[in-house]
Each structure stands twice: as C-alpha cells, then as structure tokens.
Amino acid sequence: MTLWMTGDEAADRLLDENPFALLVGMMLDQQYPMEHAFRGGWKVLSRFGSLDPAAIAAADPQEFTALCSTPPAIHRFPGSMARRLQELAALVVERYDGDVTRLWTEPTTGAELFARVQELPGFGRQKAQIFVALLAKQLGVRPAGWEAVAGDYALDGYRSVADVVDGDSLRKVREFKQAKKAAAKRA
C-alpha cells in the first residue's frame, strides 16, 4: 500500500520507505496542515542528509533548529518542533535501539501499543489514538484490542489522517473536522 499524506510524490514515497518519517509526520501534525506536517521528514532528509534517529538525536541543537527553520520550515513553530523531533529521535534510540518499527511491532495488545505511543514527545491521548488507527488502517498493525484504544478513530469514515488515502478522502476528513468544530462552538 502506498501512503498518501502529502500530495507530493517524493515525500509520500519517503513515508512508505522510512517508518521514522511517518512518525515524524504524525508528531508534526498539530496546529499545521496535515500535508505540510507529513512533509517534515522529507524536508529534514533533504537538508540534514539523514533521517537516522541516532544522527538526529546527536545533532547540534542550534544547527538542527536552523535547518528546521529554513523556509519552508518543518512546522509553523520550527524551533519547538525541532527540539521535540530531537527528543523523539533520542527516545527511539534509547528505547528501541534506533528501530522505530519496534514501537509498533513488539506490542501484543492495543493497550500496550497505545501506552508506547503516548510515551512519545508530543503524543497526547488523541494523537496516540489517531496514530494507532493510522497504523491499523494503513499499515495493517492490529494487535488485539487496537479498536478499543483508538476509539472513534477506529471506525469507518473520514475522521482523521488515519483515513486519508487520496485528495478526496483528505477533503472529507477536513469537512468532518470543520463540522465537529462548529458543533463544539454551538455547544
């Protein structure tokens, strides 16, 4: 399956080929358009020359922040996201020996997967639920009970990035989110 998150062929191919790029995109997916967030790994690779978590974790923080801030920046808050990206890389090195796939291939239950994802820098409850749903729906990672921890994001429909497979599904996810925000305002 080919992931379609960015609308850019090279960036989407990187998401398919490099699991850390996918995790980086999910981390950056807040207060920033999804397509741009998921291009973050491609931007880092293009400028830094590597997406190896050990190399990113060991990079000089000021230099790494500068490359993440170069237009087009990796996020609308490039400084804080560069720091968070280095923290994420360090955690992947420390806990998973640099192999980010161990984050989701080792858990035998959805609860264990969810707990691991919530430990990641920048991954609160909702983002962890969405990432578990993304792993299940798009990569086939479905430990027992994943639906329960993913909540409504496990359902069929167009609720989050987990459901985006093309431009049309992206539009439907945006419509769903706008309707949800409008309902929350009315409440």
Side-chain angles (χ1 to χ4, degrees):
M1 169 180 250
T2 300
L3 294 170
W4 190 100
M5 306 277 179
T6 71
D8 177 274
E9 189 177 323
D12 284 335
R13 189 172 41 253
L14 180 65
L15 296 173
D16 276 335
E17 296 169 356
N18 189 311
F20 190 64
L22 183 64
L23 186 63
V24 168
M26 191 71 221
M27 183 206 72
L28 294 172
D29 189 20
Q30 65 181 57
Q31 299 179 25
Y32 198 52
M34 181 201 82
E35 315 90 293
H36 298 291
F38 280 88
R39 282 186 204 127
W42 182 82
K43 291 175 188 175
V44 171
L45 177 62
S46 299
R47 297 169 190 173
F48 187 63
S50 175
L51 267 183
D52 174 47
I56 291 171
D60 176 88
Q62 288 182 317
E63 291 175 15
F64 193 74
T65 297
L67 80 87
C68 289
S69 301
T70 301
I74 66 163
H75 195 272
R76 68 187 275 206
F77 303 114
S80 61
M81 289 302 172
R83 282 188 299 280
R84 186 173 288 165
L85 175 49
Q86 285 193 288
E87 292 170 9
L88 178 67
L91 186 143
V92 168
V93 169
E94 180 182 304
R95 292 237 176 101
Y96 305 109
D97 297 318
D99 180 1
V100 71
T101 63
R102 288 182 51 204
L103 171 72
W104 57 79
T105 58
E106 292 177 350
T108 58
T109 67
E112 183 183 355
L113 173 59
F114 184 70
R116 284 181 174 211
V117 174
Q118 272 200 294
E119 291 175 347
L120 301 171
F123 282 72
R125 178 177 173 75
Q126 184 179 29
K127 187 177 284 198
Q129 289 179 304
I130 292 169
F131 193 63
V132 167
L134 187 153
L135 291 170
K137 291 179 175 184
Q138 301 220 23
L139 299 183
V141 175
R142 297 174 178 212
W146 75 268
E147 300 97 331
V149 297
D152 286 350
Y153 298 107
L155 301 174
D156 288 336
Y158 301 97
R159 291 174 167 69
S160 73
V161 66
D163 302 305
V164 174
V165 295
D166 56 24
D168 187 50
S169 56
L170 173 62
R171 180 185 54 76
K172 290 176 181 176
V173 165
R174 285 211 168 110
E175 289 170 356
F176 175 82
K177 288 181 176 186
Q178 288 169 349
K180 200 170 174 181
K181 282 182 183 179
K185 269 188 173 179
R186 287 191 300 271

